[in-house]
Amino acid sequence: MLSIDTVLERAAHLLGRRFGGTPELTHPEDLGGSSDSLVLRAKVTPNPFLQERSLVIKQLPAVAEGTPEEAEANAAMIREVVAYQYTNTLPSENRPGPLLLAHDIDERIIVLSDAGTGESFSDILIIEDAERRASALRKLGRALGRMQVATADGEESFDTLNRRQYSRHDLPAEQAGERDVDIAALVAQGLDLLRSSGVQISDTVAEFAEEAGLRQSRSRLRAFSPFDLTPDNIMLSDQVVFLDFEWAGFRDIVFDVACVIAGFPHDISTPLLDEEESAEFVEAWSSEVVSVWPDVRDRERLTYALMTSLIAWALMSLSLLYHGTLAVIEDAESASDGARKLERLPEAHLADFATTVESVRSYATAASEQDGGDSRYGDVAAFAEALLTRLAELGAVPQTRTDIRSR
């Protein structure tokens, strides 16, 4: 790992090249980072060329040249840079994250504006104060909705920026979409994993799963999404700030909503929202997006869309928990391979999966009781109940707020 002084020097050089002058970065604060990455907050001495008084530097680890790991790392960094470039163009009140100030793909360094300090949603969601949780979730719903409305027609611009970065770094244009998450394929992998574990998949659940994949290609429902919507990547300060755009792209707007009400399925340390919290979050979100997508006020349509997305999240998160990646596993073992069993998942992963399945069961049960109900939702609730029983036999039960706080 590079020293802090070296990273500060790199960042200062990039800023000087971009804005002019010779910025001086001082008082570095280590903010942590995943894997071998280094994330620093630094103060900027007064400089006529740079308005920022503090900023954040993200130095990613080096990778060996010419390896598959290098190609994957470059794709992730380019996607993050492109996402920041795109969101930089939005009005400040709709911008989901910090500003991109400078970057260097070859040196694997990104310099961002300082989003300030605040509470992460990983902390907010486990506090005892129900009103504070509800208030934060309403703010999250409104912020998510504003971001989606502001980016509803922006996919072509995003794709153009992405292609330019690939061209600038002499990378094949056909690789520009490699960070697009193939939700349909991941959902299919999740179904395959369940079937190979002997879980019976009803026709209704299979139809919802197929619909989840089809929804992703309907452009009228798409907007910008960070996708990696884990609670430790969402911060609440003066406003809601989304962090980490390595998987960002344009996707079905309801998919992110379902992610939240399912308790963030790809995060193993988050409890489910209760029914009232979910309702307040969805109401706050829908009040922001209704001007562009009026169908969100049609309860039957929204219920169907959320049910579809919740099932997709359950299946997709199972694939992610099992394979450890959002990439599609092209050479995954066949469904007949006895090694591909739920039992092979670690205890924490099984508990996280049980939590997501419980969100499906709870939502399907409530939906089946609306206005006489729709028999499809009853079928989904029965499927989820049976799956929860199977998971309980493996020692996995849905995570509660108390469980997580006691760790």
PDB file of all heavy atoms in Angstrom, residues 78 82 155-174 176-177:
ATOM      1  N   ILE A  78     -13.452   2.950 -14.048  1.00  0.00           N
ATOM      2  CA  ILE A  78     -14.036   3.768 -15.112  1.00  0.00           C
ATOM      3  C   ILE A  78     -15.514   3.988 -14.855  1.00  0.00           C
ATOM      4  O   ILE A  78     -16.031   5.104 -15.005  1.00  0.00           O
ATOM      5  CB  ILE A  78     -13.804   3.098 -16.487  1.00  0.00           C
ATOM      6  CG1 ILE A  78     -12.337   3.221 -16.890  1.00  0.00           C
ATOM      7  CG2 ILE A  78     -14.713   3.716 -17.554  1.00  0.00           C
ATOM      8  CD1 ILE A  78     -11.973   2.482 -18.152  1.00  0.00           C
ATOM      9  N   VAL A  82     -17.134   7.646 -14.457  1.00  0.00           N
ATOM     10  CA  VAL A  82     -18.220   8.052 -15.352  1.00  0.00           C
ATOM     11  C   VAL A  82     -19.466   8.451 -14.566  1.00  0.00           C
ATOM     12  O   VAL A  82     -20.135   9.446 -14.883  1.00  0.00           O
ATOM     13  CB  VAL A  82     -18.542   6.919 -16.349  1.00  0.00           C
ATOM     14  CG1 VAL A  82     -19.865   7.178 -17.081  1.00  0.00           C
ATOM     15  CG2 VAL A  82     -17.413   6.769 -17.353  1.00  0.00           C
ATOM     16  N   GLU A 155     -29.890   8.473 -19.823  1.00  0.00           N
ATOM     17  CA  GLU A 155     -29.119   7.255 -20.093  1.00  0.00           C
ATOM     18  C   GLU A 155     -28.188   7.407 -21.289  1.00  0.00           C
ATOM     19  O   GLU A 155     -27.047   6.923 -21.274  1.00  0.00           O
ATOM     20  CB  GLU A 155     -30.053   6.059 -20.298  1.00  0.00           C
ATOM     21  CG  GLU A 155     -29.313   4.743 -20.414  1.00  0.00           C
ATOM     22  CD  GLU A 155     -30.208   3.540 -20.222  1.00  0.00           C
ATOM     23  OE1 GLU A 155     -31.455   3.699 -20.183  1.00  0.00           O
ATOM     24  OE2 GLU A 155     -29.677   2.417 -20.097  1.00  0.00           O
ATOM     25  N   GLU A 156     -28.634   8.090 -22.324  1.00  0.00           N
ATOM     26  CA  GLU A 156     -27.787   8.259 -23.507  1.00  0.00           C
ATOM     27  C   GLU A 156     -26.532   9.069 -23.162  1.00  0.00           C
ATOM     28  O   GLU A 156     -25.425   8.749 -23.614  1.00  0.00           O
ATOM     29  CB  GLU A 156     -28.573   8.956 -24.622  1.00  0.00           C
ATOM     30  CG  GLU A 156     -27.799   9.052 -25.930  1.00  0.00           C
ATOM     31  CD  GLU A 156     -28.632   9.629 -27.060  1.00  0.00           C
ATOM     32  OE1 GLU A 156     -29.874   9.651 -26.943  1.00  0.00           O
ATOM     33  OE2 GLU A 156     -28.035  10.062 -28.074  1.00  0.00           O
ATOM     34  N   SER A 157     -26.691  10.109 -22.344  1.00  0.00           N
ATOM     35  CA  SER A 157     -25.536  10.914 -21.936  1.00  0.00           C
ATOM     36  C   SER A 157     -24.557  10.081 -21.113  1.00  0.00           C
ATOM     37  O   SER A 157     -23.340  10.172 -21.282  1.00  0.00           O
ATOM     38  CB  SER A 157     -25.999  12.121 -21.119  1.00  0.00           C
ATOM     39  OG  SER A 157     -26.823  12.965 -21.884  1.00  0.00           O
ATOM     40  N   PHE A 158     -25.096   9.269 -20.217  1.00  0.00           N
ATOM     41  CA  PHE A 158     -24.254   8.398 -19.397  1.00  0.00           C
ATOM     42  C   PHE A 158     -23.474   7.424 -20.284  1.00  0.00           C
ATOM     43  O   PHE A 158     -22.256   7.247 -20.111  1.00  0.00           O
ATOM     44  CB  PHE A 158     -25.135   7.631 -18.409  1.00  0.00           C
ATOM     45  CG  PHE A 158     -24.384   6.734 -17.473  1.00  0.00           C
ATOM     46  CD1 PHE A 158     -23.941   7.197 -16.249  1.00  0.00           C
ATOM     47  CD2 PHE A 158     -24.126   5.403 -17.812  1.00  0.00           C
ATOM     48  CE1 PHE A 158     -23.245   6.364 -15.375  1.00  0.00           C
ATOM     49  CE2 PHE A 158     -23.438   4.574 -16.946  1.00  0.00           C
ATOM     50  CZ  PHE A 158     -23.001   5.052 -15.728  1.00  0.00           C
ATOM     51  N   ASP A 159     -24.141   6.812 -21.236  1.00  0.00           N
ATOM     52  CA  ASP A 159     -23.485   5.849 -22.122  1.00  0.00           C
ATOM     53  C   ASP A 159     -22.403   6.513 -22.961  1.00  0.00           C
ATOM     54  O   ASP A 159     -21.349   5.924 -23.234  1.00  0.00           O
ATOM     55  CB  ASP A 159     -24.513   5.176 -23.029  1.00  0.00           C
ATOM     56  CG  ASP A 159     -25.403   4.198 -22.285  1.00  0.00           C
ATOM     57  OD1 ASP A 159     -25.029   3.798 -21.159  1.00  0.00           O
ATOM     58  OD2 ASP A 159     -26.477   3.846 -22.820  1.00  0.00           O
ATOM     59  N   THR A 160     -22.662   7.755 -23.396  1.00  0.00           N
ATOM     60  CA  THR A 160     -21.665   8.491 -24.176  1.00  0.00           C
ATOM     61  C   THR A 160     -20.406   8.740 -23.359  1.00  0.00           C
ATOM     62  O   THR A 160     -19.281   8.529 -23.834  1.00  0.00           O
ATOM     63  CB  THR A 160     -22.241   9.836 -24.666  1.00  0.00           C
ATOM     64  OG1 THR A 160     -23.357   9.579 -25.518  1.00  0.00           O
ATOM     65  CG2 THR A 160     -21.193  10.633 -25.435  1.00  0.00           C
ATOM     66  N   LEU A 161     -20.570   9.177 -22.124  1.00  0.00           N
ATOM     67  CA  LEU A 161     -19.418   9.377 -21.244  1.00  0.00           C
ATOM     68  C   LEU A 161     -18.654   8.078 -21.031  1.00  0.00           C
ATOM     69  O   LEU A 161     -17.415   8.059 -21.026  1.00  0.00           O
ATOM     70  CB  LEU A 161     -19.888   9.922 -19.894  1.00  0.00           C
ATOM     71  CG  LEU A 161     -20.371  11.367 -19.843  1.00  0.00           C
ATOM     72  CD1 LEU A 161     -21.047  11.653 -18.497  1.00  0.00           C
ATOM     73  CD2 LEU A 161     -19.216  12.336 -20.065  1.00  0.00           C
ATOM     74  N   ASN A 162     -19.377   6.988 -20.874  1.00  0.00           N
ATOM     75  CA  ASN A 162     -18.749   5.689 -20.653  1.00  0.00           C
ATOM     76  C   ASN A 162     -17.919   5.273 -21.864  1.00  0.00           C
ATOM     77  O   ASN A 162     -16.761   4.850 -21.734  1.00  0.00           O
ATOM     78  CB  ASN A 162     -19.839   4.656 -20.363  1.00  0.00           C
ATOM     79  CG  ASN A 162     -19.316   3.415 -19.671  1.00  0.00           C
ATOM     80  OD1 ASN A 162     -18.349   3.464 -18.923  1.00  0.00           O
ATOM     81  ND2 ASN A 162     -19.958   2.289 -19.930  1.00  0.00           N
ATOM     82  N   ARG A 163     -18.485   5.415 -23.052  1.00  0.00           N
ATOM     83  CA  ARG A 163     -17.756   5.039 -24.270  1.00  0.00           C
ATOM     84  C   ARG A 163     -16.518   5.911 -24.456  1.00  0.00           C
ATOM     85  O   ARG A 163     -15.470   5.427 -24.913  1.00  0.00           O
ATOM     86  CB  ARG A 163     -18.680   5.154 -25.485  1.00  0.00           C
ATOM     87  CG  ARG A 163     -19.750   4.061 -25.558  1.00  0.00           C
ATOM     88  CD  ARG A 163     -20.404   4.036 -26.936  1.00  0.00           C
ATOM     89  NE  ARG A 163     -21.069   5.301 -27.240  1.00  0.00           N
ATOM     90  CZ  ARG A 163     -22.339   5.570 -26.933  1.00  0.00           C
ATOM     91  NH1 ARG A 163     -23.078   4.664 -26.289  1.00  0.00           N
ATOM     92  NH2 ARG A 163     -22.889   6.724 -27.265  1.00  0.00           N
ATOM     93  N   ARG A 164     -16.621   7.181 -24.124  1.00  0.00           N
ATOM     94  CA  ARG A 164     -15.464   8.073 -24.257  1.00  0.00           C
ATOM     95  C   ARG A 164     -14.313   7.636 -23.371  1.00  0.00           C
ATOM     96  O   ARG A 164     -13.145   7.687 -23.779  1.00  0.00           O
ATOM     97  CB  ARG A 164     -15.864   9.509 -23.913  1.00  0.00           C
ATOM     98  CG  ARG A 164     -16.663  10.214 -24.998  1.00  0.00           C
ATOM     99  CD  ARG A 164     -17.086  11.587 -24.524  1.00  0.00           C
ATOM    100  NE  ARG A 164     -17.885  12.266 -25.537  1.00  0.00           N
ATOM    101  CZ  ARG A 164     -18.558  13.399 -25.305  1.00  0.00           C
ATOM    102  NH1 ARG A 164     -18.500  13.968 -24.107  1.00  0.00           N
ATOM    103  NH2 ARG A 164     -19.263  13.957 -26.268  1.00  0.00           N
ATOM    104  N   GLN A 165     -14.619   7.226 -22.157  1.00  0.00           N
ATOM    105  CA  GLN A 165     -13.562   6.774 -21.257  1.00  0.00           C
ATOM    106  C   GLN A 165     -12.894   5.516 -21.792  1.00  0.00           C
ATOM    107  O   GLN A 165     -11.665   5.363 -21.717  1.00  0.00           O
ATOM    108  CB  GLN A 165     -14.136   6.511 -19.855  1.00  0.00           C
ATOM    109  CG  GLN A 165     -14.380   7.756 -19.029  1.00  0.00           C
ATOM    110  CD  GLN A 165     -13.099   8.422 -18.567  1.00  0.00           C
ATOM    111  OE1 GLN A 165     -12.010   7.853 -18.646  1.00  0.00           O
ATOM    112  NE2 GLN A 165     -13.217   9.649 -18.107  1.00  0.00           N
ATOM    113  N   TYR A 166     -13.670   4.601 -22.329  1.00  0.00           N
ATOM    114  CA  TYR A 166     -13.085   3.387 -22.897  1.00  0.00           C
ATOM    115  C   TYR A 166     -12.209   3.715 -24.095  1.00  0.00           C
ATOM    116  O   TYR A 166     -11.121   3.156 -24.266  1.00  0.00           O
ATOM    117  CB  TYR A 166     -14.183   2.387 -23.267  1.00  0.00           C
ATOM    118  CG  TYR A 166     -14.562   1.503 -22.110  1.00  0.00           C
ATOM    119  CD1 TYR A 166     -15.366   1.988 -21.083  1.00  0.00           C
ATOM    120  CD2 TYR A 166     -14.083   0.206 -22.005  1.00  0.00           C
ATOM    121  CE1 TYR A 166     -15.703   1.193 -19.994  1.00  0.00           C
ATOM    122  CE2 TYR A 166     -14.407  -0.603 -20.924  1.00  0.00           C
ATOM    123  CZ  TYR A 166     -15.210  -0.094 -19.925  1.00  0.00           C
ATOM    124  OH  TYR A 166     -15.527  -0.879 -18.836  1.00  0.00           O
ATOM    125  N   SER A 167     -12.665   4.638 -24.928  1.00  0.00           N
ATOM    126  CA  SER A 167     -11.874   5.045 -26.084  1.00  0.00           C
ATOM    127  C   SER A 167     -10.587   5.742 -25.649  1.00  0.00           C
ATOM    128  O   SER A 167      -9.506   5.490 -26.193  1.00  0.00           O
ATOM    129  CB  SER A 167     -12.703   5.984 -26.963  1.00  0.00           C
ATOM    130  OG  SER A 167     -11.928   6.495 -28.038  1.00  0.00           O
ATOM    131  N   ARG A 168     -10.684   6.610 -24.641  1.00  0.00           N
ATOM    132  CA  ARG A 168      -9.527   7.363 -24.154  1.00  0.00           C
ATOM    133  C   ARG A 168      -8.447   6.436 -23.612  1.00  0.00           C
ATOM    134  O   ARG A 168      -7.255   6.751 -23.678  1.00  0.00           O
ATOM    135  CB  ARG A 168      -9.984   8.334 -23.073  1.00  0.00           C
ATOM    136  CG  ARG A 168      -8.921   9.293 -22.558  1.00  0.00           C
ATOM    137  CD  ARG A 168      -9.570  10.324 -21.652  1.00  0.00           C
ATOM    138  NE  ARG A 168     -10.549  11.112 -22.370  1.00  0.00           N
ATOM    139  CZ  ARG A 168     -11.539  11.792 -21.799  1.00  0.00           C
ATOM    140  NH1 ARG A 168     -11.692  11.752 -20.483  1.00  0.00           N
ATOM    141  NH2 ARG A 168     -12.380  12.497 -22.535  1.00  0.00           N
ATOM    142  N   HIS A 169      -8.843   5.307 -23.070  1.00  0.00           N
ATOM    143  CA  HIS A 169      -7.873   4.385 -22.481  1.00  0.00           C
ATOM    144  C   HIS A 169      -7.627   3.167 -23.372  1.00  0.00           C
ATOM    145  O   HIS A 169      -7.124   2.128 -22.918  1.00  0.00           O
ATOM    146  CB  HIS A 169      -8.341   3.952 -21.085  1.00  0.00           C
ATOM    147  CG  HIS A 169      -8.329   5.069 -20.104  1.00  0.00           C
ATOM    148  ND1 HIS A 169      -9.419   5.900 -19.912  1.00  0.00           N
ATOM    149  CD2 HIS A 169      -7.342   5.535 -19.287  1.00  0.00           C
ATOM    150  CE1 HIS A 169      -9.115   6.811 -19.002  1.00  0.00           C
ATOM    151  NE2 HIS A 169      -7.877   6.618 -18.614  1.00  0.00           N
ATOM    152  N   ASP A 170      -7.975   3.323 -24.659  1.00  0.00           N
ATOM    153  CA  ASP A 170      -7.706   2.289 -25.665  1.00  0.00           C
ATOM    154  C   ASP A 170      -8.260   0.931 -25.274  1.00  0.00           C
ATOM    155  O   ASP A 170      -7.632  -0.121 -25.463  1.00  0.00           O
ATOM    156  CB  ASP A 170      -6.184   2.162 -25.916  1.00  0.00           C
ATOM    157  CG  ASP A 170      -5.586   3.437 -26.477  1.00  0.00           C
ATOM    158  OD1 ASP A 170      -6.238   4.072 -27.329  1.00  0.00           O
ATOM    159  OD2 ASP A 170      -4.476   3.809 -26.056  1.00  0.00           O
ATOM    160  N   LEU A 171      -9.452   0.954 -24.719  1.00  0.00           N
ATOM    161  CA  LEU A 171     -10.135  -0.281 -24.355  1.00  0.00           C
ATOM    162  C   LEU A 171     -11.226  -0.578 -25.374  1.00  0.00           C
ATOM    163  O   LEU A 171     -11.836   0.346 -25.930  1.00  0.00           O
ATOM    164  CB  LEU A 171     -10.739  -0.153 -22.959  1.00  0.00           C
ATOM    165  CG  LEU A 171      -9.721   0.038 -21.823  1.00  0.00           C
ATOM    166  CD1 LEU A 171     -10.426   0.400 -20.529  1.00  0.00           C
ATOM    167  CD2 LEU A 171      -8.880  -1.220 -21.638  1.00  0.00           C
ATOM    168  N   PRO A 172     -11.500  -1.841 -25.655  1.00  0.00           N
ATOM    169  CA  PRO A 172     -12.514  -2.188 -26.661  1.00  0.00           C
ATOM    170  C   PRO A 172     -13.888  -1.617 -26.316  1.00  0.00           C
ATOM    171  O   PRO A 172     -14.349  -1.740 -25.163  1.00  0.00           O
ATOM    172  CB  PRO A 172     -12.533  -3.724 -26.612  1.00  0.00           C
ATOM    173  CG  PRO A 172     -11.213  -4.117 -26.053  1.00  0.00           C
ATOM    174  CD  PRO A 172     -10.853  -3.034 -25.075  1.00  0.00           C
ATOM    175  N   ALA A 173     -14.527  -0.998 -27.289  1.00  0.00           N
ATOM    176  CA  ALA A 173     -15.832  -0.376 -27.051  1.00  0.00           C
ATOM    177  C   ALA A 173     -16.868  -1.385 -26.587  1.00  0.00           C
ATOM    178  O   ALA A 173     -17.766  -1.050 -25.801  1.00  0.00           O
ATOM    179  CB  ALA A 173     -16.306   0.311 -28.335  1.00  0.00           C
ATOM    180  N   GLU A 174     -16.734  -2.637 -27.045  1.00  0.00           N
ATOM    181  CA  GLU A 174     -17.738  -3.645 -26.676  1.00  0.00           C
ATOM    182  C   GLU A 174     -17.667  -4.000 -25.191  1.00  0.00           C
ATOM    183  O   GLU A 174     -18.583  -4.654 -24.661  1.00  0.00           O
ATOM    184  CB  GLU A 174     -17.579  -4.907 -27.522  1.00  0.00           C
ATOM    185  CG  GLU A 174     -16.252  -5.618 -27.409  1.00  0.00           C
ATOM    186  CD  GLU A 174     -15.228  -5.124 -28.420  1.00  0.00           C
ATOM    187  OE1 GLU A 174     -15.414  -4.025 -28.980  1.00  0.00           O
ATOM    188  OE2 GLU A 174     -14.239  -5.851 -28.653  1.00  0.00           O
ATOM    189  N   ALA A 176     -17.633  -1.732 -22.846  1.00  0.00           N
ATOM    190  CA  ALA A 176     -18.147  -0.587 -22.081  1.00  0.00           C
ATOM    191  C   ALA A 176     -19.342  -0.945 -21.200  1.00  0.00           C
ATOM    192  O   ALA A 176     -19.611  -0.280 -20.202  1.00  0.00           O
ATOM    193  CB  ALA A 176     -18.517   0.551 -23.026  1.00  0.00           C
ATOM    194  N   GLY A 177     -20.054  -2.005 -21.554  1.00  0.00           N
ATOM    195  CA  GLY A 177     -21.222  -2.390 -20.766  1.00  0.00           C
ATOM    196  C   GLY A 177     -20.957  -3.483 -19.753  1.00  0.00           C
ATOM    197  O   GLY A 177     -21.901  -4.016 -19.157  1.00  0.00           O
TER     198      GLY A 177
END
